[in-house]
Every structure is written in C-alpha cells, then in structure tokens.
C-alpha cells in the first residue's frame, strides 16, 4: 500500500463531514505537498474528530504550530469547493 493510500485510510473519520473535506483535500493537494506539509497533514489526523471539526468551523483555534497552517489551508480549500 502506497503512502497516499495509507493517508487516505486515516482520513476516514467518524464524522461524514470530515471524511468529505479531508478526502477531497487529499485528492487535490497530496501529490504536490512537501514532506513537511505531508507530516503536518498526518499530524492533524492524530487529533480527535471534535477538535478538528471545531478548528474547521472556527469554534476554537488550533494551538499546534505544526498543524495550524494546515488547518488554515484546508479551511481555505473547503470554502472554495
């Protein structure tokens, strides 16, 4: 199984909305990401669904300096789809 396929599997969440956002982002951006961005995306996937959802909806702010730029990029991406 390739790296992208492993990450795709990790994008499967308990919340359909997150599944859709994360998998669409993965499809659109993963191949062009730097290694640092790929690591940040995978670090994001370590967080609980509720935290990620709250960050995406600006209910709370991500305080992880590695993940926060990824959150902003995903939110910007999601507002354009």
């Amino acid at each position: 199984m390739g790296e992208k396929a492993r990450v795709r599997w990790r994008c499967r969440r308990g919340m359909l909305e997150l599944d859709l956002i994360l998998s669409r982002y993965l499809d659109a951006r993963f191949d062009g990401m730097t290694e640092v961005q790929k690591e940040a995306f995978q670090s994001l996937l370590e967080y609980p669904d509720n935290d990620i959802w709250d960050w995406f909806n600006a209910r709370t702010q991500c305080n992880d300096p590695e993940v926060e730029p990824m959150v902003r990029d995903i939110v910007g991406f999601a507002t354009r789809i």
Side-chain angles (χ1 to χ4, degrees):
M1 182 183 300
E3 179 186 21
K4 188 173 181 179
R6 283 191 299 276
V7 175
R8 179 179 307 288
W9 181 255
R10 293 186 63 216
C11 286
R12 295 180 57 128
R13 312 302 288 195
M15 187 182 293
L16 177 62
E17 294 87 344
L18 283 179
D19 283 356
L20 295 172
I21 292 169
L22 293 170
S23 63
R24 288 177 182 171
Y25 183 83
L26 179 79
D27 288 338
R29 300 276 174 87
F30 191 80
D31 293 332
M33 285 183 185
T34 66
E35 287 304 313
V36 171
Q37 290 170 320
K38 288 178 181 180
E39 289 175 17
F41 187 72
Q42 292 184 63
S43 292
L44 170 73
L45 298 176
E46 295 291 327
Y47 283 92
D49 289 357
N50 289 336
D51 289 349
I52 298 170
W53 187 246
D54 286 347
W55 297 336
F56 287 177
N57 288 287
R59 290 186 185 123
T60 60
Q61 184 174 10
C62 176
N63 294 319
D64 183 330
E66 176 188 14
V67 173
E68 196 273 334
M70 182 59 58
V71 169
R72 279 184 291 137
D73 193 50
I74 294 170
V75 168
F77 172 81
T79 60
R80 291 186 296 270
I81 58 173

